[in-house]
Amino acid sequence: MKKIVNSLLFKVFVAIVLGIVFGLYMPEWFNRIFATFNAFFGQFLSFAIPLIIMGLIMPAISDLGKEAGKMLLLTAAIAYGSTLFSGFMTFFTASNIFPGLLAEHINSTTEIAENTKELTPFFSIEIPAVIDVMSALVLAFVIGLGLAYQEKSTLKLVVSDFQTIIMQVIEKVIIPLLPLFILGIFASMSYSGEVFQILSVFLNIIGVIFGLHILLLILQYVIAGTIVKKNPVKLLLNMLPAYFTALGTQSSAATIPVTLEQAEKNGVSEKVAGFVIPLCATIHLSGSIMKITACAMALMILNEMPFDFAMFAGFIFMLGIAMVAAPGVPGGAIMAAIGVLQAMLGFNEEMIGLMIALYIAMDSFGTACNVTGDGAIALVVDKIAGEEAVVSGQ
């Protein structure tokens, strides 16, 4: 029971409920307290996002240089390909389903917006970012790639220390304050009369994403089963312990021992499993990109923001890279994605808050999808690596 109460999902759920109650029944001055906090926290997030991008991406890319070899490149290519496949599958599915599914909500949201009561903060403080998001991304890639080829570098130690600081900021400051931030957003929406419309949208989106992630797992194991010439149903069923463990832990890293054991039961060699599973726990994000792509599109449709394939193609390619190493941090994937959402899709503070709430609500399922897909990648890498060894006479 204590574990449930201390979980981020439970805290976000309580924050949403309290936000609705406060917005409906508490006076304006009381709700303006949360509006003031959100104004300050939003500024702090804008300041921290470029630093988060650099702190997560630079060491993730530079660490790839430590494990040179074909297996690393092969695993990274397959994992990134799987992540992109998930993103584009989600785009095409959501772009065909969401406009009709959310049409009624768009009209209702427009009517509410015309008569909305807006909460204003008592005061606001501007905290300018030291570097903009796109500059942070490019700089992270340049430094990360440069360090990947340096065997000994003092800058690597600096980057490693910077990563530790950023993780501490996320774990000790941002994540603990997120429920309060979400409470403020839902209090504002409840006060303005939008909240029940948004909650109805939440349920529709979550249902579609859950169906998509089951379909993705089936496709991954059909492909892997075809390559290794094994029954995909049996392979997928063998990975269910890892799936359900991830549902409970909400962490790809914490599930590694179970994922390793089940991958080996599927016939993956111990050497390949020991390399691929831990690596994929960091770089394979098919479930995470699915949630973020679908939720982003839904919010853009609700806000009547224009989008097209070219916009989301760039977003998906960038997101697949920006989230690397983020699964090791609680809520890291959505934190790493915020900068890309702002820079490439034009998300504002309220939309970011809704994205965080939606993401956390589905965090267990996204993690379970990531972890279970790792087993499929291990099967393919084991097959290819085994054939190369035979050809080379090893």
Side-chain angles (χ1 to χ4, degrees):
M1 184 66 183
K2 185 178 179 181
K3 186 176 180 181
I4 295 174
V5 171
N6 289 331
S7 71
L8 182 60
L9 178 59
F10 179 80
K11 291 176 182 177
V12 168
F13 174 76
V14 171
I16 290 173
V17 172
L18 289 177
I20 294 170
V21 172
F22 290 166
L24 288 174
Y25 301 110
M26 299 303 287
E28 181 181 358
W29 68 264
F30 183 83
N31 286 298
R32 286 182 69 190
I33 295 173
F34 297 104
T36 303
F37 169 79
N38 277 24
F40 175 76
F41 189 72
Q43 285 289 316
F44 178 74
L45 270 183
S46 298
F47 168 81
I49 285 164
L51 304 180
I52 290 171
I53 289 172
M54 294 177 66
L56 294 179
I57 293 178
M58 285 191 299
I61 295 177
S62 67
D63 285 347
L64 293 178
K66 297 178 181 178
E67 298 284 355
K70 292 183 180 179
M71 192 181 295
L72 169 67
L73 296 175
L74 177 63
T75 305
I78 295 174
Y80 187 57
S82 175
T83 300
L84 293 183
F85 177 82
S86 175
F88 284 110
M89 182 183 82
T90 304
F91 169 81
F92 288 118
T93 304
S95 61
N96 283 289
I97 293 177
F98 282 179
L101 185 67
L102 302 178
E104 178 184 343
H105 300 290
I106 296 172
N107 297 330
S108 301
T109 303
T110 303
E111 292 175 8
I112 292 170
E114 293 173 355
N115 304 302
T116 189
K117 299 178 291 181
E118 186 176 354
L119 285 173
T120 56
F122 288 112
F123 63 90
S124 59
I125 301 173
E126 288 192 16
I127 310 175
V130 293
I131 185 173
D132 64 58
V133 170
M134 291 308 297
S135 296
L137 278 168
V138 174
L139 184 59
F141 293 148
V142 170
I143 294 177
L145 288 170
L147 291 176
Y149 291 94
Q150 301 292 324
E151 292 185 5
K152 293 183 179 180
S153 171
T154 304
L155 184 56
K156 272 193 176 183
L157 299 176
V158 175
V159 166
S160 178
D161 287 344
F162 183 60
Q163 180 189 33
T164 302
I165 293 170
I166 292 301
M167 286 185 170
Q168 288 174 339
V169 169
I170 294 173
E171 294 172 350
K172 306 298 184 183
V173 181
I174 295 177
I175 296 298
L177 291 177
L178 275 181
L180 190 58
F181 180 60
I182 291 170
L183 187 156
I185 288 171
F186 275 83
S188 177
M189 289 192 299
S190 183
Y191 184 82
S192 65
E194 300 174 291
V195 69
F196 294 111
Q197 192 67 29
I198 295 297
L199 289 176
S200 176
V201 171
F202 269 32
L203 293 176
N204 287 330
I205 295 172
I206 290 171
V208 171
I209 294 174
F210 180 75
L212 271 176
H213 110 262
I214 297 298
L215 175 61
L216 176 64
L217 289 177
I218 292 172
L219 288 173
Q220 286 176 334
Y221 277 87
V222 167
I223 294 170
T226 302
I227 292 173
V228 301
K229 297 180 173 59
K230 292 183 179 180
N231 185 340
V233 176
K234 185 177 179 180
L235 293 172
L236 182 54
L237 289 176
N238 281 341
M239 292 302 298
L240 287 183
Y243 180 91
F244 288 111
T245 301
L247 284 180
T249 63
Q250 298 182 357
S251 168
S252 298
T255 313
I256 285 175
V258 181
T259 314
L260 271 171
E261 183 180 352
Q262 299 310 120
E264 290 175 15
K265 285 184 179 179
N266 272 340
V268 179
S269 68
E270 184 178 346
K271 178 182 177 182
V272 171
F275 175 82
V276 173
I277 297 300
L279 179 61
C280 283
T282 299
I283 66 174
H284 182 225
L285 301 150
S286 57
S288 300
I289 201 168
M290 175 181 288
K291 290 183 296 180
I292 293 173
T293 301
C295 294
M297 184 180 296
L299 290 178
M300 291 183 77
I301 291 172
L302 283 176
N303 286 276
E304 299 183 272
M305 296 169 65
F307 65 86
D308 54 26
F309 174 75
M311 175 188 289
F312 265 87
F315 172 73
I316 290 167
F317 275 105
M318 185 63 73
L319 192 60
I321 298 171
M323 292 190 300
V324 169
V329 186
I334 187 62
M335 298 312 302
I338 289 175
V340 187
L341 287 164
Q342 290 178 328
M344 302 190 74
L345 300 186
F347 272 39
N348 59 28
E349 181 182 307
E350 182 175 316
M351 293 174 74
I352 291 297
L354 289 173
M355 279 292 300
I356 293 171
L358 269 170
Y359 185 91
I360 292 172
M362 297 178 288
D363 195 25
S364 295
F365 294 107
T367 302
C369 185
N370 291 341
V371 164
T372 310
D374 294 348
I377 294 175
L379 284 163
V380 176
V381 173
D382 188 58
K383 176 70 173 178
I384 297 173
E387 288 180 351
E388 287 184 350
V390 170
V391 171
S392 63
Q394 294 178 352

